[in-house]
Amino acid sequence: MGDLKKLQKMFHGAVVRDDQTFVAEIRTGGKITPNKRLSIYAYAYKARLRGVLREDFPTLHIMLGDGDFDQMCDLYTDNYPSHNASLRFFGQHMADFLSETDPYAQHVVLAEMARFEWGFRDVFDATDRLPVTIEDVATIPPAAWTMLRIYFHPATVLHSFSWNVAALWSSVKEDADNPVFPEKLPQKTMVLQWRQDLLSYFRSLESDEAQVLPMAMAENSFPELCEALSRFHGDKAAVRAAELLKTWVLAGMITKLEYADIT
Amino acid sequence: MVIEENKKSEKLPGLGFGLGLRTDHFETILRDKPPVDWFEIISENFMVSGGKPLYYLDQIAEQYPLVMHGVSLSIGSSDALDMDYLRELKKLSDRINPAWISDHLCWTGLGSHNLHDLMPLPYNRETARHVIERVKRVQDYLGRQILLENVSSYVEYKKSEMSEWEFITEVAEVADCLVLLDINNIYVSAFNHEFEAMDFINGVPAHRVQQFHLAGHENNGDYIIDTHDHPVVEDVWALYAKALERFGAVSTMIERDDHIPPLEDLLAELDMARRIGAKILGADHGGS
């Protein structure tokens, strides 16, 4: 296999790094030169991956514009070459890349938009789980609420953004007459993405929900959520916790209610 | 070169005239139940955990025969076989029970870096031995024969010692696998490397050819790029007719990978394939 490996290594180098040593291994003849033949593969490699990233990050593409987006894609491809059988996962490191690579790192909104757009990819095809219903909640014995823990659907994603990423995204998606421009928020905002009946949704969270949803997703108990909410709602904290639980259940976000069998 | 034909092998039952299953058409297919005999899926597109892709796949699998067509087996790579990929392939196969599983006679990556392109191989003894051993292992793992497809290519290696069709024949006969002939790819490679497309068609053993692909391309004058994003051109339809004369009835599919048109456009192309099949082989034998 020595020769095959050597040839593939040279061909690979030509496609990825524009290394021209492989040209000498190409048969001459026909209407185009060996260099032209090789360039077809090198061009297709970049064009294909740019195309995939344009599909996965449509708003990021619009924010950067064609030229800068393509240049960014090529840099990304060099830094995070695909190691997966499916192109579905190629863009998975985009937010990390943008937050660690200048000049993009100087514009935090870019990495945040990448994280948001990739969130839709993850929500879209995350593992299926049957959600619990309001009727399931109604069967929890009163005494069991003190030990209740809730488990979330795998298609539930939370982000903390310091820029108006969700509003920007909506503005582009809806092609709004009055477009929204990037703007740093007065304080960080939590944005939730989830899937219900195969459709993907998102919304920004009020500060009390932003406090307890990460706790709930980290499997803190219902009383611990109530305690955290008491900072916002005093002795009405349990009511608010129940209200949030109902919201999450109706959104199809909860797949399991766990409590000890006290009957 | 004379390859001893492995007469033990028999082809799988034919499926007729099919289409590549594309996301854009999921809902139309379930709503209208179009007259398509079978669908071919891109295996990697359904190697996901859940959500819409698998939901629609399960629904369509209940109503149509499916076959799986992969792009990342990399059967000719000098990397070790990717067993994680094969596990995922088997898992999907167990889920939808496809009539068959195919991939390409090519390599797609090196050092675990996937180029996501169908890279041609040097057609020589060393490569044939390497590919044959891997095809046997894949078939053992999957518990079934696989189909390998000829790719469009833009380079030929100086180290090639045989034609592409001789190479395919050797691999298919010795590894006991089946062949998916992409008629467009034959046309594209014949143009780019200046060989006779009919030499290719006449050079592949009929008892190995299980499926045809028909697709479009982009002609740049001095060379043709296999884009699979245009309708099938007249010359490729003509070559398809010649292939039917040579191979008889073979399951035939229109493969569109980009610039996906409305389903009705693809159904019209499929009707064209049916008409050619009926003309060459008689009304009852087009693509079965």
Side-chain angles (χ1 to χ4, degrees):
Chain A
M1 201 178 65
D3 226 27
L4 179 65
K5 190 169 191 168
K6 203 172 127 196
L7 287 169
Q8 289 181 342
K9 208 171 168 185
M10 283 193 283
F11 203 162
H12 179 273
V15 171
V16 175
R17 294 187 306 275
D18 200 25
D19 179 346
Q20 293 297 305
T21 51
F22 182 65
V23 172
E25 302 291 337
I26 299 173
R27 246 181 216 171
T28 52
K31 293 188 185 73
I32 52 174
T33 64
N35 290 82
K36 173 66 187 173
R37 291 175 182 279
L38 200 47
S39 73
I40 292 172
Y41 288 96
Y43 174 83
Y45 174 66
K46 281 188 176 174
R48 182 175 308 104
L49 297 178
R50 286 172 180 177
V52 168
L53 296 176
R54 281 185 183 211
E55 276 188 26
D56 286 344
F57 301 100
T59 313
L60 189 62
H61 173 212
I62 287 171
M63 289 167 76
L64 286 171
D66 286 347
D68 286 346
F69 185 82
D70 286 350
Q71 193 178 14
M72 184 277 292
C73 289
D74 295 348
L75 264 178
Y76 174 76
T77 303
D78 290 344
N79 281 273
Y80 290 97
S82 175
H83 289 287
N84 200 287
S86 171
L87 283 164
R88 146 73 177 89
F89 301 98
F90 176 56
Q92 63 187 320
H93 304 293
M94 181 59 82
D96 291 340
F97 167 76
L98 292 171
S99 60
E100 71 197 12
T101 311
D102 280 332
Y104 316 109
Q106 294 163 32
H107 307 280
V108 175
V109 66
L110 297 176
E112 291 193 349
M113 182 58 77
R115 212 171 290 288
F116 186 57
E117 296 205 289
W118 193 254
F120 284 117
R121 289 293 310 154
D122 283 340
V123 163
F124 176 73
D125 58 16
T127 306
D128 297 314
R129 292 268 191 281
L130 203 60
V132 302
T133 63
I134 280 294
E135 289 72 32
D136 295 323
V137 177
T139 62
I140 303 171
W145 285 80
T146 58
M147 55 198 97
L148 174 66
R149 285 176 207 279
I150 54 188
Y151 293 86
F152 285 79
H153 196 287
T156 309
V157 178
L158 259 184
H159 309 278
S160 174
F161 291 141
S162 50
W163 287 74
N164 59 337
V165 167
L168 258 179
W169 185 90
S170 299
S171 170
V172 169
K173 177 89 174 165
E174 290 155 14
D175 199 14
D177 289 338
N178 298 310
V180 170
F181 293 97
E183 195 178 305
K184 196 162 193 294
L185 299 167
Q187 61 190 29
K188 283 198 165 191
T189 299
M190 291 285 246
V191 176
L192 166 71
Q193 290 172 299
W194 77 99
R195 185 175 85 210
Q196 185 172 25
D197 298 331
L198 300 176
L199 297 176
S200 302
Y201 299 91
F202 72 94
R203 65 181 170 86
S204 299
L205 305 185
E206 296 295 329
S207 52
D208 60 343
E209 189 178 8
Q211 175 79 31
V212 295
L213 182 53
M215 291 175 63
M217 290 175 72
E219 299 170 22
N220 283 265
S221 69
F222 192 75
E224 286 167 320
L225 305 186
C226 292
E227 195 183 322
L229 282 168
S230 64
R231 210 186 96 211
F232 299 89
H233 302 284
D235 58 4
K236 298 274 194 303
V239 175
R240 175 62 175 152
E243 190 180 287
L244 286 174
L245 176 60
K246 185 180 171 188
T247 303
W248 300 335
V249 168
L250 289 175
M253 289 164 53
I254 310 294
T255 56
K256 187 177 164 192
L257 302 163
E258 184 183 88
Y259 48 90
D261 185 0
I262 55 160
T263 54
Chain B
M1 185 188 63
V2 178
I3 305 291
E4 195 175 329
E5 289 190 350
N6 180 351
K7 295 290 187 190
K8 285 183 304 183
S9 178
E10 284 184 17
K11 290 204 287 188
L12 304 166
L15 294 176
F17 293 91
L19 286 179
L21 181 64
R22 301 294 178 257
T23 315
D24 307 44
H25 302 142
F26 283 168
E27 289 182 5
T28 312
I29 290 165
L30 289 174
R31 190 189 61 227
D32 298 347
K33 304 193 173 38
V36 177
D37 297 330
W38 54 284
F39 285 101
E40 180 187 87
I41 66 161
I42 303 292
S43 309
E44 288 77 3
N45 291 354
F46 297 92
M47 290 180 176
V48 293
S49 304
K52 264 188 188 177
L54 291 176
Y55 169 81
Y56 282 111
L57 181 65
D58 289 343
Q59 301 272 313
I60 291 167
E62 282 179 15
Q63 301 181 31
Y64 291 92
L66 294 180
V67 309
M68 285 167 51
H69 184 54
V71 292
S72 288
L73 177 60
S74 204
I75 198 71
S77 173
S78 48
D79 275 357
L81 274 176
D82 184 346
M83 295 312 293
D84 290 338
Y85 173 76
L86 281 176
R87 263 188 292 280
E88 288 296 310
L89 196 67
K90 180 117 179 20
K91 195 170 131 192
L92 186 60
S93 161
D94 290 344
R95 182 181 186 118
I96 63 167
N97 191 26
W100 57 76
I101 299 174
S102 63
D103 205 293
H104 301 82
L105 190 48
C106 69
W107 62 287
T108 58
L110 195 67
S112 85
H113 172 204
N114 195 339
L115 294 171
H116 297 287
D117 199 355
L118 308 171
M119 313 296 285
L121 290 162
Y123 302 129
N124 56 36
R125 293 277 173 202
E126 180 200 354
T127 314
R129 273 195 304 275
H130 176 64
V131 172
I132 287 163
E133 185 266 335
R134 287 159 68 95
V135 173
K136 286 178 176 173
R137 283 172 55 206
V138 169
Q139 293 185 147
D140 284 348
Y141 182 82
L142 296 175
R144 57 162 84 207
Q145 279 181 302
I146 59 169
L147 281 62
L148 288 177
E149 177 184 352
N150 58 303
V151 298
S152 291
S153 66
Y154 314 102
V155 306
E156 286 183 309
Y157 296 77
K158 285 182 180 168
K159 296 261 167 61
S160 282
E161 299 161 350
M162 57 180 104
S163 66
E164 187 180 356
W165 50 95
E166 287 170 327
F167 184 80
I168 289 174
T169 301
E170 175 148 349
V171 169
E173 294 293 4
V174 181
D176 191 20
C177 67
L178 296 166
V179 173
L180 191 176
L181 274 191
D182 188 312
I183 306 295
N184 174 66
N185 291 356
I186 294 175
Y187 182 84
V188 169
S189 293
F191 185 96
N192 289 337
H193 305 308
E194 300 187 330
F195 63 76
E196 289 297 326
M198 282 309 296
D199 287 347
F200 196 127
I201 284 175
N202 289 325
V204 178
H207 67 280
R208 293 285 170 189
V209 178
Q210 179 67 37
Q211 184 188 341
F212 289 150
H213 271 173
L214 292 167
H217 58 245
E218 183 183 291
N219 192 326
N220 291 286
D222 288 344
Y223 60 95
I224 295 180
I225 301 283
D226 165 29
T227 50
H228 275 51
D229 66 353
H230 287 69
V232 179
V233 302
E234 210 166 296
D235 284 353
V236 172
W237 285 123
L239 199 56
Y240 173 56
K242 295 280 184 196
L244 288 174
E245 283 171 7
R246 159 91 174 98
F247 297 110
V250 171
S251 302
T252 296
M253 193 206 96
I254 306 290
E255 187 185 40
R256 189 70 69 89
D257 293 335
D258 212 345
H259 300 155
I260 307 294
L263 187 63
E264 61 200 44
D265 292 8
L266 297 176
L267 292 173
E269 280 199 288
L270 200 56
D271 278 344
M272 176 71 150
R274 283 194 177 99
R275 283 198 297 278
I276 293 171
K279 188 176 166 192
I280 303 291
L281 302 168
D284 299 331
H285 298 285
S288 51

